[in-house]
Amino acid sequence: MAYEFITTRTEGEKVGVITLNRPKQLNALSPALMVELGQALKAFDADEAIGCIVITGNEKAFAAGADIGAMATYTFADVYRDDYITRDWETIGGIRKPVIAAVSGFALGGGCELAMMCDFIIAADNAKFGQPEIKLGIIPGAGGTQRLPRAVGKAKAMDLVLTGRMMDAKEAEAAGLVSRVVPLDKLMDEALAAALMISGYGRMAVMAAKECVNKAFEGTLADGVMFERRLFHALFATADQKEGMDAFVNKRPAAFKNQ
Ligand code: HXC
């Protein structure tokens, strides 16, 4: 499919790579870009061959936020009536395969929120994260005030949301927002290696693992632990579990068939 504001490709026939592609606007997330991102995510999720998805930008920007030019003239009536942000932005939450954000440069406002909607973030050493909406007279609108405190705790989330300051990759890693920081020129190698590794595992175990970790952020600990246990039990009904354990016992590599 031909896109205007993103590009897509596959890596090793197993990983779907989506590159945000409005470089002149620092990948500002216009409504049209978000429609395309949703379409590409759904297409990779539906593609049997794909086991993991990577979203990335360019060296200067993952995404510098929602498109301020597009938003500037919106009225309350526009955004409330059309429920601005939810529909296309929520697509990512329904994707069942893991989605990795490979972030270099700015990840600000909606860009930081998009990265946080991914399952984990690998950052280049030049990455900068922030929720600068306060400077525009608004607040984060795509989950930033909720996901940031869950990732980094209240103190740092309040600091970032109230001051609008940026946090560099080192601070983001120490705070728990990103899973790894790598040199800029190694970012895609690292993200693709992780995605290929995940794609090589049994698909059902991968999806169950993602669902279970996400449960940790909803409901009670007891409910989450029970949800995990039941999916853990269910995986014993799969051929992949037999294959994975037989391979270990017989000291050979596992060949998962997603069955
Ligand atoms: C539209 C943007 C943009 C954005 C940058 N640009 N960010 N356009 N929306 N969010 C454009 C600039 O207007 C400029 O266009 C070009 O990209 C390059 O940007 P510069 O400012 O010249 O680059 P630089 O001096 O390097 O500064 C980089 C920057 C700055 C610090 C990232 O651009 C910046 O502060 N951007 C805004 C960041 C922000 O406030 N994000 C939150 C948006 S609100 P021209 O045509 O002049 O070359 C938001 C709400 C989310 O995200 C709500 C739910 C989704």
Side-chain angles (χ1 to χ4, degrees):
M1 182 151 174
Y3 296 108
E4 197 179 341
F5 304 116
I6 62 171
T7 62
T8 61
R9 65 183 176 89
T10 57
E11 178 78 19
E13 293 169 13
K14 288 190 204 165
V15 173
V17 182
I18 302 173
T19 305
L20 308 176
N21 190 30
R22 294 184 75 207
K24 288 200 185 109
Q25 294 82 14
L26 303 184
N27 289 335
L29 303 167
S30 62
L33 185 153
M34 293 309 294
V35 168
E36 291 191 354
L37 178 61
Q39 289 169 343
L41 284 166
K42 280 188 193 156
F44 280 139
D45 209 30
D47 185 339
E48 288 258 319
I50 298 298
C52 189
I53 301 166
V54 176
I55 302 179
T56 193
N58 57 55
E59 284 188 15
K60 180 143 193 224
F62 176 73
D67 193 313
I68 301 170
M71 279 187 297
T73 58
Y74 289 172
T75 64
F76 171 77
D78 293 329
V79 293
Y80 184 72
R81 187 188 53 230
D82 300 343
D83 210 8
Y84 174 60
I85 242 61
T86 52
R87 276 163 299 159
D88 298 311
W89 288 72
E90 278 175 356
T91 304
I92 192 163
I95 301 300
R96 298 187 70 202
K97 293 169 185 171
V99 183
I100 301 172
V103 174
S104 42
F106 298 111
L108 303 176
C112 187
E113 292 172 304
L114 173 62
M116 289 192 290
M117 287 177 191
C118 297
D119 295 308
F120 62 97
I121 302 172
I122 300 179
D125 49 13
N126 77 336
K128 287 201 183 302
F129 298 87
Q131 298 289 162
E133 288 89 342
I134 199 85
K135 298 180 183 176
L136 300 169
I138 57 168
I139 62 171
T145 65
Q146 304 304 299
R147 290 195 180 90
L148 194 59
R150 281 167 169 80
V152 306
K154 177 180 168 183
K156 205 170 275 290
M158 279 289 191
D159 175 358
L160 290 162
V161 170
L162 291 176
T163 67
R165 78 172 173 90
M166 293 186 215
M167 166 164 84
D168 66 17
K170 221 169 130 195
E171 185 180 357
E173 186 184 31
L177 181 64
V178 311
S179 68
R180 325 176 186 180
V181 178
V182 296
L184 176 58
D185 61 352
K186 295 280 180 311
L187 177 66
M188 282 314 283
D189 291 348
E190 188 88 0
L192 291 173
L196 283 165
M197 180 178 282
I198 291 166
S199 297
Y201 297 135
R203 187 75 45 82
M204 285 171 292
V206 166
M207 292 194 306
K210 168 170 168 161
E211 269 191 298
C212 284
V213 175
N214 281 331
K215 269 277 173 200
F217 298 96
E218 299 156 12
T220 64
L221 176 63
D223 286 346
V225 168
M226 187 51 75
F227 182 82
E228 178 198 79
R229 189 176 309 156
R230 293 300 178 232
L231 276 184
F232 171 75
H233 291 160
L235 289 168
F236 284 80
T238 66
D240 282 348
Q241 174 266 331
K242 302 286 176 291
E243 168 63 13
M245 295 194 183
D246 185 73
F248 178 84
V249 170
N250 291 300
K251 302 188 188 307
R252 62 174 178 83
F256 295 112
K257 296 202 169 59
N258 304 328
Q259 298 290 327

